[in-house]
Amino acid sequence: MKRATTLLLGGLFVASPVCAQDTVPWREISGWGILMDSTMGNACFVATGYEDGTILRLGFDLRETKSIYLALGNKNWASLEPGKDYPLQIQFDGNPVWNATARALNLDGANYLVVSTTDTNFANEFTRKLAMRATFNGRQVASLRLSGSARAVDEMLNCQKAVNDAIANKNTPNAPKDPFQANPGVRNANDPFEM
């Protein structure tokens, strides 16, 4: 039940309606695509697909909330109502269950559940564990292997650093080559001889 293609993952799912043109591929590692999503505040994410049609995505949301999100989607989940909240339980290996409220969204004809958190332990468990289960009302909706997730998340952090550095460099005004050179248009009121 491992990954299908990651090629289509770039624009397949985001937490707001968007086209593939809003994502920029960074790298692919161990079956995970690492991309940057401009609609999420120029945030990087990892994504992979599974043979049963499930798509898994974990990334940063750097808009207002500055959070981490996990998104699960599958075209077979036709009964999900977009905009509605669903109680979801997520468990990594045998660790304690994360109880979350997931928002349902529809994109390109497939339904997704999106969970958002500011707790970095969530991403740490995702990175360190071998499998993830998601249940709704006691019924398992996804059981996914997380092979390669540690390497993928490390590369997602590299992606985010590169994006942040590029944005910082773009926003830095051009400094003069000699920062001590006097500005010819400014006179010192305390020096009557300065011309």
Side-chain angles (χ1 to χ4, degrees):
M1 182 191 229
K2 196 54 190 138
R3 304 176 180 128
T5 89
T6 57
L7 194 56
L8 64 114
L9 294 171
L12 190 57
F13 181 79
V14 292
S16 60
V18 69
C19 299
Q21 65 197 23
D22 295 320
T23 61
V24 177
W26 169 260
R27 200 160 277 138
E28 185 171 325
I29 293 182
S30 303
W32 294 83
I34 296 93
L35 302 100
M36 187 276 296
D37 187 342
S38 62
T39 68
M40 301 296 275
N42 296 317
C44 293
F45 67 94
V46 297
T48 193
Y50 296 84
E51 292 174 2
D52 69 349
T54 300
I55 295 171
L56 173 62
R57 177 171 165 167
L58 177 92
F60 298 115
D61 181 350
L62 299 179
R63 295 174 295 178
E64 296 168 15
T65 58
K66 308 281 189 270
S67 60
I68 299 164
Y69 66 90
L70 177 107
L72 283 171
N74 195 308
K75 289 189 179 206
N76 295 325
W77 297 350
S79 62
L80 284 177
E81 297 177 45
K84 186 174 178 180
D85 290 340
Y86 291 83
L88 196 65
Q89 297 76 42
I90 298 171
Q91 185 175 29
F92 298 100
D93 290 347
N95 283 20
V97 171
W98 290 84
N99 290 302
T101 300
R103 172 73 43 105
L105 296 173
N106 183 285
L107 183 66
D108 295 335
N111 287 325
Y112 296 86
L113 292 170
V114 181
V115 173
S116 212
T117 183
T118 56
D119 189 340
T120 56
N121 287 326
F122 185 85
N124 288 337
E125 283 192 40
F126 179 91
T127 302
R128 293 188 338 254
K129 301 304 176 181
L130 300 174
M132 183 190 89
R133 280 183 4 167
T135 57
F136 168 71
N137 288 340
R139 184 175 175 200
Q140 182 173 289
V141 295
S143 178
L144 308 171
R145 302 290 303 158
L146 297 177
S147 302
S149 63
R151 290 184 63 215
V153 170
D154 282 346
E155 194 56 37
M156 178 181 78
L157 296 173
N158 291 337
C159 170
Q160 195 62 58
K161 182 181 179 330
V163 169
N164 293 347
D165 289 349
I167 291 170
N169 288 337
K170 180 181 174 187
N171 294 333
T172 303
N174 291 338
K177 291 184 182 188
D178 181 357
F180 302 102
Q181 179 181 2
N183 185 343
V186 177
R187 295 181 182 245
N188 184 345
N190 296 328
D191 186 352
F193 301 103
E194 184 179 357
M195 298 178 117

